[in-house]
């Protein structure tokens, strides 16, 4: 444990590992050792103590996500335990007895898995640098390794450039990454229940309410869904230029939209929104990401009408004129809303 100048203490790497393992055991026990339908964000809303622990430190989230990643790749620790013992019974006991105690094949199998994790796999309390933008804002961030991040509107992320790896925690919003190649230091982006791993490439990550969207413009990117809702046979995807991956409530889908289509979706980097047969409802949602005035489509029928065009992100009035003059829709302006209807 590290003591700060004011007398407070930071937890050690081993303590963070043990806490993360204990929480993983509790998650497993909650679901009777089946390891299914567990979602960190959803569980945090149900357990205030877990919510506090998860929010107390970015290092907590990273440690737990890393443990989940190893757990999924090894077929979950369940496969190494006897049939009559759940993971919930094993991990707390392992934490209590310590690494020096050997108790048969069970302890040996757990030790093998935990040794894989402990070999430079966790970090202690990371010295994260926070970057964030307000609604309608953008920020270009140069990192110490030569990489660059372009933050879109209303985005927050935490960055930690360590000697062993480069860690980004995308708390909310969207960002475009230009990653300098460094085979000795993988570049990892953690979102709610996903981890994106690259060596050197260009791609965008958009964290949404129920998942994440990744679009690659250059190079190769690996997307791994860590939620137990994910299909274990299709929870990881390798993407190349033109590919777009989406996770939604545990489902990971990849399609090739092409580099030109992705470039159009990333027009926000130049201050534009470029619609190509988007529904009016989708267009309204996109404008609402950038403006304090909310565009509300009152009529469900017109919400499905496709629209195309290129507009400034900060020029909502131009889009409203497009709707009134081009489609003949009516609008009513309130203090914080513009209502659109037939």
């Amino acid at each position: 444990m590290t003591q700060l100048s004011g007398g407070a203490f930071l937890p050690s790497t081993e303590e963070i590992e043990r806490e993360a393992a204990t929480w993983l055991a509790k998650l497993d026990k909650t679901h009777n050792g089946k390891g299914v339908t567990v979602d960190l964000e959803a569980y945090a809303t149900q357990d205030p103590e877990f919510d506090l622990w998860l929010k107390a430190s970015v290092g907590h989230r990273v440690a737990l996500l890393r443990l989940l990643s190893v757990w999924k790749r090894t077929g979950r620790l369940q496969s190494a335990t006897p049939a009559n013992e759940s993971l919930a019974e094993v991990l707390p006991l392992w934490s209590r007895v310590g690494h020096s105690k050997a108790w048969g094949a069970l302890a040996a199998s757990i030790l093998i898995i935990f040794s894989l994790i402990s070999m430079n796999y966790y970090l202690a309390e990371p010295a994260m640098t926070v970057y964030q933008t307000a609604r309608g804002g953008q920020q270009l961030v140069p990192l110490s390794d030569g990489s660059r991040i372009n933050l879109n509107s209303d985005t927050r992320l935490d960055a930690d450039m360590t000697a062993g790896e480069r860690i980004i925690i995308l708390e909310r919003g969207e960002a475009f990454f230009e990653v300098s190649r460094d085979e000795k230091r993988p570049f990892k982006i953690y979102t709610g229940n996903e981890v994106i791993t690259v060596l050197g490439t260009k791609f965008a990550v958009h964290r949404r309410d129920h998942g994440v969207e990744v679009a690659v413009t250059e190079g190769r990117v690996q997307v791994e869904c860590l939620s137990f809702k994910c299909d274990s046979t299709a929870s990881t995807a390798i993407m190349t230029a033109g590919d777009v991956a989406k996770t939604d409530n545990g489902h990971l889908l990849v399609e090739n939209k092409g580099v030109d289509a992705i470039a159009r979706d990333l027009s926000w980097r130049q201050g534009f929104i470029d619609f190509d047969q988007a529904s009016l409802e989708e267009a309204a949602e996109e404008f609402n990401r950038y403006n304090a005035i909310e565009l509300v489509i009152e009529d469900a029928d017109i919400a499905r009408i496709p629209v195309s065009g290129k507009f400034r992100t900060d020029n909502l009035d131009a889009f409203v004129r497009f709707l009134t003059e081009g489609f003949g829709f009516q609008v009513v302006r309130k203090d914080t809303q513009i209502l659109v209807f037939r």
Side-chain angles (χ1 to χ4, degrees):
M1 184 175 286
T2 303
Q3 186 171 16
L4 301 177
S5 58
F9 287 89
L10 287 177
S12 67
T13 302
E14 183 180 352
E15 288 171 310
I16 293 176
E17 292 177 13
R18 185 165 55 247
E19 290 174 3
T22 301
W23 278 115
L24 179 58
K26 187 173 182 180
L27 288 165
D28 179 80
K29 184 177 181 180
T30 301
H31 293 269
N32 299 317
K34 296 179 180 179
V36 294
T37 67
V38 177
D39 183 278
L40 297 185
E41 308 299 335
Y43 187 76
T45 64
Q46 302 169 15
D47 189 323
E49 185 180 357
F50 176 68
D51 186 46
L52 288 174
W53 181 84
L54 199 61
K55 292 178 178 177
S57 162
V58 174
H60 291 176
R61 177 183 291 273
V62 173
L64 187 55
L65 285 172
R66 284 173 163 172
L67 181 55
L68 278 166
S69 180
V70 171
W71 190 27
K72 288 176 70 68
R73 286 200 296 270
T74 55
R76 301 191 176 96
L77 295 181
Q78 305 267 136
S79 61
T81 65
N84 62 341
E85 292 191 79
S86 72
L87 178 63
E89 295 169 315
V90 172
L91 288 179
L93 180 57
W94 176 254
S95 299
R96 290 197 303 270
V97 300
H99 291 200
S100 62
K101 301 291 185 180
W103 23 286
L106 173 60
S109 62
I110 299 297
L111 175 59
I112 290 172
I113 295 173
F114 268 79
S115 66
L116 292 174
I117 300 170
S118 62
M119 290 173 61
N120 197 32
Y121 207 69
Y122 282 123
L123 74 164
E125 191 76 7
M128 291 283 183
T129 302
V130 179
Y131 302 99
Q132 59 184 349
T133 55
R135 178 174 292 184
Q138 285 191 29
Q139 183 180 3
L140 183 61
V141 176
L143 300 179
S144 59
D145 69 329
S147 300
R148 299 196 307 170
I149 307 176
N150 193 347
L151 280 69
N152 197 2
S153 170
D154 192 22
T155 296
R156 176 191 166 104
L157 58 80
D158 310 281
D160 183 37
M161 302 290 104
T162 70
E165 59 185 344
R166 299 166 288 177
I167 298 293
I168 301 293
I169 307 293
L170 181 60
E171 299 287 347
R172 69 172 183 269
E174 180 180 18
F176 182 79
F177 298 85
E178 298 179 65
V179 179
S180 296
R181 188 171 185 84
D182 187 344
E183 295 185 2
K184 295 182 179 179
R185 289 200 302 165
F187 194 102
K188 296 184 178 181
I189 303 170
Y190 292 89
T191 62
N193 290 293
E194 299 82 18
V195 57
I196 297 99
T197 305
V198 300
L199 293 176
T201 187
K202 298 179 181 180
F203 62 101
V205 181
H206 186 186
R207 183 171 178 177
R208 301 180 182 274
D209 291 339
H210 301 292
V212 66
E213 179 175 321
V214 182
V216 181
T217 62
E218 182 180 308
R220 289 163 60 90
V221 172
Q222 174 181 290
V223 179
E224 181 181 5
C225 179
L226 301 181
S227 170
F228 290 120
K229 293 180 180 179
C230 290
D231 183 349
S232 60
T233 62
S235 60
T236 302
I238 303 296
M239 305 169 57
T240 57
D243 286 345
V244 175
K246 297 180 181 180
T247 65
D248 186 5
N249 290 316
H251 300 287
L252 174 59
L253 301 174
V254 180
E255 65 172 324
N256 187 277
K257 292 181 63 175
V259 175
D260 291 342
I262 291 177
R264 183 168 52 248
D265 292 340
L266 298 179
S267 294
W268 57 263
R269 293 177 296 168
Q270 291 81 41
F272 289 94
I273 306 175
D274 195 345
F275 299 121
D276 180 22
Q277 295 295 298
S279 71
L280 181 54
E281 182 179 31
E282 292 171 338
E285 290 175 354
E286 193 67 13
F287 266 104
N288 292 341
R289 295 175 59 197
Y290 300 93
N291 296 276
I293 303 298
E294 181 184 15
L295 188 62
V296 180
I297 310 303
E298 290 281 89
D299 191 327
D301 290 334
I302 67 172
R304 295 187 291 270
I305 292 177
V307 295
S308 298
K310 192 171 184 177
F311 305 87
R312 295 287 309 182
T313 58
D314 58 358
N315 196 348
L316 180 58
D317 286 340
F319 185 67
V320 172
R321 286 196 302 273
F322 169 71
L323 296 180
T324 56
E325 297 174 6
F327 291 87
F329 296 153
Q330 304 297 312
V331 299
V332 173
R333 296 177 181 267
K334 294 186 176 181
D335 292 337
T336 59
Q337 290 183 327
I338 298 177
L339 309 182
V340 182
F341 54 94
R342 284 192 187 277

